[in-house]
Amino acid sequence: MSVERVVDTIAETAVEVRGGLAGRRTYTEGENPSGDDQLEADVWADSLFEERLLAIDSVGSYASEERPDVIEGDGEGDYHVAVDPLDGSSNLQSNNPMGVVFAAYDTPLPAPGRRIVAGGWVLLGPITTMVVATDGPVTEYVLEAADEATSESHLTDGHGGGEPVERRPVAEDITIPEDPTVYGIGGRVPDWPEDLESFVESLEDDRLKLRYGGAMIADVNQVLTYGGVFAYPALVDRPDGALRLQFEGNPVAHVIETAGGASSDGERSILDVEAEEVHQRVPVHVGNADLIDRLEDALD
Ligand code: F6P
Ligand code: MN
């Protein structure tokens, strides 16, 4: 069965999640397996993605940043789906952008990024957009509830149990702009390795502008749109950085590399990082290929 059904279900569920955020902005007592505090919205979105995705025959298992274990489906589905149900959810209190990040792998998790068959994100910004790369180029869609849709040409079928949405392509065969303009780098500056600081000075010399919003997916989406660099690097006391390979690093690297950009853990493409644990962290650097080359040289 086509992986498009998985992508449709992510789209439907993300629209449903967006609709339920307003009442779920408070923190629970809990933490996720990486030690992040959980909002009611994180826990709720995770259970909705689990339910909707495991209802699809072709989904063999579901894993998320918000739960320790991989959940197996009933059947023997070919796709193993990793989801960050609400990336950047600490932005929910201040009502800044956040999103959903996903990767469907063709092998059980933990899996290397080269095994992604569809990956991308839904950005909950002023409008709801979806950026996906399956086995072809990168496409951006606008997502709208079916009853608000302006045409009926790309309605999803509600197969996972959700309400259909319109998934309307608005940009096809997306490539990262050659002339980069923005950068955003996570972690406190005093915790950055010195070599990174000098790389960032070189970006300023090139007249790139700092734009960092604290939700990886919004910060990566602006790099795809305007060109530049996003990183959540290795920190002096945290050599693996903050982001997780299965749920964040791999899907983002898959899209940015498909769009002609590059990714790196500091030494190699993120897609070539060995997958050892479901919640393993990885330093993430993505953006224009020449800038990522320069960054690798600087960190050498
Ligand atoms: O999922 C982790 C995350 O919320 C990312 O979306 C974001 O890039 C990062 O944490 C923000 O971290 P910080 O608060 O350290 O800037
Ligand atoms: Mn995240």
Side-chain angles (χ1 to χ4, degrees):
M1 195 183 292
S2 155
V3 75
E4 284 302 304
R5 180 157 270 176
V6 174
V7 178
D8 276 353
T9 300
I10 301 275
E12 287 168 2
T13 312
V15 169
E16 192 172 348
V17 163
R18 178 170 198 140
L21 292 175
R24 296 185 170 88
R25 295 171 80 181
T26 47
Y27 279 95
T28 65
E29 303 277 285
E31 281 185 352
N32 73 13
S34 309
D36 304 329
D37 293 334
Q38 287 177 311
L39 288 153
E40 284 177 37
D42 291 311
V43 177
W44 173 68
D46 174 37
S47 57
L48 209 54
F49 278 108
E50 178 201 5
E51 185 185 320
R52 300 283 188 248
L53 286 165
L54 290 179
I56 304 171
D57 292 341
S58 58
V59 174
S61 65
Y62 169 80
S64 116
E65 226 178 85
E66 302 302 335
R67 59 178 70 220
D69 300 319
V70 177
I71 311 295
E72 306 287 332
D74 293 337
E76 300 202 343
D78 294 333
Y79 304 123
H80 302 272
V81 187
V83 179
D84 180 354
L86 274 181
D87 173 66
S89 59
S90 64
N91 275 0
L92 188 53
Q93 290 203 318
S94 57
N95 191 26
N96 280 65
M98 45 193 235
V100 176
V101 191
F102 72 96
Y105 298 85
D106 66 0
T107 189
L109 305 188
R114 301 272 175 215
R115 303 299 294 265
I116 291 179
V117 288
W121 56 82
V122 176
L123 179 59
L124 307 180
I127 49 178
T128 310
T129 53
M130 181 177 214
V131 170
V132 187
T134 48
D135 52 359
V138 180
T139 306
E140 182 187 46
Y141 303 88
V142 165
L143 304 183
E144 281 184 304
D147 56 357
E148 290 166 14
T150 50
S151 76
E152 295 204 348
S153 51
H154 296 276
L155 285 187
T156 65
D157 65 5
H159 182 84
E163 294 295 320
V165 298
E166 187 194 34
R167 178 154 76 92
R168 185 171 73 250
V170 289
E172 286 173 293
D173 203 354
I174 296 175
T175 53
I176 192 162
E178 272 174 34
D179 192 12
T181 55
V182 295
Y183 75 92
I185 300 189
R188 294 176 65 248
V189 179
D191 296 334
W192 290 354
E194 262 176 47
D195 294 341
L196 181 68
E197 252 185 275
S198 27
F199 169 73
V200 171
E201 279 165 23
S202 79
L203 295 180
E204 287 287 341
D205 293 342
D206 285 356
R207 306 199 60 77
L208 271 75
K209 277 187 288 192
L210 168 61
R211 284 200 186 173
Y212 183 75
M216 174 196 72
I217 213 53
D219 291 331
V220 167
N221 198 75
Q222 68 178 357
V223 165
L224 180 63
T225 308
Y226 303 125
V229 179
F230 166 80
Y232 205 112
L235 302 177
V236 283
D237 56 349
R238 220 174 164 182
D240 295 326
L243 302 176
R244 281 125 304 205
L245 181 67
Q246 301 294 292
F247 309 105
E248 295 167 315
N250 276 342
V252 157
H254 172 74
V255 169
I256 295 291
E257 290 200 16
T258 306
S263 76
S264 176
D265 71 346
E267 288 180 16
R268 63 184 73 72
S269 163
I270 291 170
L271 301 176
D272 291 325
V273 172
E274 201 179 329
E276 290 166 339
E277 286 172 45
V278 172
H279 295 279
Q280 106 192 45
R281 297 181 195 266
V282 65
V284 170
H285 317 81
V286 292
N288 288 72
D290 54 337
L291 296 178
I292 298 299
D293 277 352
R294 204 208 287 176
L295 174 104
E296 282 186 342
D297 289 346
L299 295 183
D300 213 0

